[in-house]
Amino acid sequence: MEQVIVNSLILGMNYALIALGLTLIFAIMNVLNFAHGQMYVLGGFITYYALQVLHLPFVVGLVASVVVLVLVGLLSERLLFRRAIRVSTREESTMLLAAGLALLLESLILLFFGEKQRGMPPIISGVYQVFGVYIPAGRAFVFAIALASLIGFVTFMQFTRPGRALRAIAQDKEVTALQGVNINRYGALGFGLGAGLTGLAGSLLATIFAVNSGLGTAVSIKAFIMVMLGGAGVVSGAIAGAFVLGFLESFGYAYMPGSVTYMLIFAGMIIFLVFRPQGIMGKPWG
Amino acid sequence: MSSVAKGTRRGVGAPNRAVSIRIVLGVFLIVYLIVLPSYFAESRYILRVITTASVLSFISLGVWLTFTIGRINIGQGAFALIGGYATAILSTKFGVSFWVCLPLSGLIAGLTGIIFGLGILRLKGVYFAMITLSLTEAVRLGFLSGGDFTGGAPGISNIPLPDELGLFGITLIPDFGKVDTHIAFYYLAAVLLILGLAVIWRISSSRLGWIFKSLQQDEELSRSVGINVARYRVMAYAICCFYGGIGGAFFTVSQQSIYPSVFGVLDSLFFILYCFLGGLAFVAGPIVGAFLLFILFELLHEFQQYQQLIYSLLMISIMLWLPNGLLSLRLPAAFWRSRNIRD
């Protein structure tokens, strides 16, 4: 029982990074990033490649994952989404563009890294024992980094100038533009940051669970669940949704077969959203 | 100004246009029903590609209808799966004839759509998109963990081919096992598509279609002029699910098997993509999109591992340079013509 709670916390902390990335991109650009899961997988594979093929230290792999994903985010905003938002008459087209990007990333990952499931040994070996609960040191390490990044991100959003600009854009794009904020530049920043966060999560979780090229859609769907449960476009909601999913998943997997767990999660979520469509923290919309 | 020009043009050219549309439609029908099947009678692969594209178009027509009420429906795969399993279970476990299973599958999918729709249609925009996407996954997992009833991961196989359908001793439709199966399925798909298109076209040009379009523009405003918004949006969604169910039943019988991953999230997304490529403003949009993209995908088959890569690049290019669909391409031409008339 205690073991399951600890697992849920570790899982929830990393899920929070994924959900925050998705919710940030959604809030800033009004784009539902279908490629989010594939970005996560890419982050995982880069870390795997750096560690297992090039035999570099973990820090290098982690930084490489984040840097590459930030670049992918910046490039896709600049080359794809900015134009699509401008030329299209309907908002759905950015969603399909993101789905196209997801397919593209997935086939590129498949070409470069192959279709095999790739795992790696834990970063730190050893096990801590706290109050009779066993915590592998590798997982504790991942938890610590995820927690630090989460605190760093929230601090950035709350107390810095760019963070304030991003929050303002999320509230009202046009009024923010009137105040002299460069919407395009901050849109790119938001996209890069969101992609970087999910790359970070991919890099960290790849050391616990293995990655494979087909994982992307499942991760995207998990990210959607978290964002919907918490409330789309709300930072606190993304974190809440992530921990709720982390707990549900860990407890479900501990006591039930995997497919039943997710079916129940889906069913529960649909019923929950019927009664509270804006999620836990979200604001009601018209 | 342009509306005036358009008005005069329509006033002068309306009879001509109606006649030319009828001729084009007739040519299409002849090619589709007579030329194509007789020309490709020997090459089963091509026949199967056209058959599949027809049924994919049919399913996408339903998705197109939910677009007219302003909802992005990524859940069509779920209803194709429900229809497919309905046919599979009814025909293998209860021995029901395919010709009863087919409409029944559509009805079951439609009823399920009503039940889900009552709840989830309260959501809008991306939220509706996300929840229907989750629905696709939920239904897939449901069938996966359905035990003996749904057959788990391997699903249900050995589904019988459509049997003879007769009335008063006269054979209306022959037993599919006794004739050329590929041709038989080709015609079944063709009839489905033509009927499906006719119904959707009729709906979209009737009062019902205008009500749906008003929901797309502003639900509050529609409500204020006395439209029962909740009822009509559930109606549109149920019709969409009915199409999904019928399409799923067709694929189940033509493959003679079904398993939970036949229709997934990607398929649901592709149905939307077909609508988009063809153009959301046109009833024929999903058909144009489905045929083009599906045949293209088959043509890329030679490139093996690069198939998906090229396909995704095409998808991205479409969204970047043709965001309003292929059929919108004629709009500039019409614009130039109207300007010439004005000059």
Side-chain angles (χ1 to χ4, degrees), chain B residues 68 209-219 221-222 227:
Chain B
T68 65
W210 287 104
I211 290 174
F212 288 165
K213 272 170 215 148
S214 79
L215 297 186
Q216 179 192 344
Q217 285 176 351
D218 194 333
E219 288 196 357
L221 197 61
S222 316
I227 291 171

Side-chain angles (χ1 to χ4, degrees), chain B residues 40-62:
Chain B
F40 291 117
E42 293 307 309
S43 63
R44 300 189 151 173
Y45 171 68
I46 295 177
L47 269 189
R48 205 164 58 220
V49 167
I50 303 174
T51 309
T52 311
S54 303
V55 184
L56 288 178
S57 314
F58 179 84
I59 300 178
S60 312
L61 277 171

Side-chain angles (χ1 to χ4, degrees), chain A residues 78 218 248:
Chain A
R78 186 70 194 85
L248 290 177

